[in-house]
Amino acid sequence: MGIKEELLEALGEWAGKLDDPSYKERFQGFNKVLQLNFNDTDFSLLMEFKDETCTVKEGMVEKPDVLIETDSEVIFGICDGEISPTKAFMGGKLKAKGDMKDMLKIQMLMK
């Protein structure tokens, strides 16, 4: 499996948390686009939140609601529980732009 497929699978696990009724309720009315740019790859990924669901795919948009820039290894570390999203952000390993409320909501999926 290539790095792109591994990242799509990892982000798909985050998106899959919206199947849980408690998460679904928290994401009610959350219609946003998260774009992840990876410093160590030649592609970007999107997480499109709409109607309490999330679609993960390759691509870019002109104005994402939240933009994350990081290395793929940081995302894998967050997925494995080895890296805290907050520590990655505070340590400069993960850069995020967007509304703080939106970023905190998305962070719930990373835990």
Side-chain angles (χ1 to χ4, degrees):
M1 185 182 300
I3 193 164
K4 184 187 304 179
E5 292 77 17
E6 289 180 34
L7 285 166
L8 285 166
E9 183 177 305
L11 298 179
E13 289 179 19
W14 292 354
K17 291 182 180 180
L18 293 179
D19 292 338
D20 180 322
S22 66
Y23 280 97
K24 190 176 281 285
E25 185 177 316
R26 293 178 192 167
F27 280 81
Q28 195 169 28
F30 188 76
N31 298 316
K32 307 280 181 170
V33 175
L34 162 65
Q35 180 172 310
L36 295 104
N37 294 342
F38 302 99
N39 303 324
D40 57 340
T41 71
D42 61 350
F43 60 86
S44 296
L45 298 179
L46 298 172
M47 293 183 78
E48 295 179 334
F49 296 88
K50 185 172 183 177
D51 301 326
E52 295 89 47
T53 64
C54 180
T55 305
V56 180
K57 62 184 181 181
E58 183 178 0
M60 297 178 80
V61 294
E62 190 172 321
K63 292 184 179 179
D65 298 293
V66 177
L67 175 64
I68 292 178
E69 294 184 359
T70 189
D71 292 334
S72 60
E73 290 304 315
V74 172
I75 295 298
F76 292 134
I78 291 170
C79 290
D80 294 340
E82 296 171 10
I83 300 174
S84 153
T86 303
K87 286 183 180 177
F89 178 75
M90 299 300 273
K93 293 180 179 181
L94 183 149
K95 295 179 182 169
K97 295 177 186 172
D99 183 275
M100 185 59 76
K101 279 191 332 189
D102 294 343
M103 290 189 281
L104 290 172
K105 189 166 285 222
I106 292 168
Q107 183 183 357
M108 285 191 297
L109 300 176
M110 297 179 180
K111 295 180 179 180

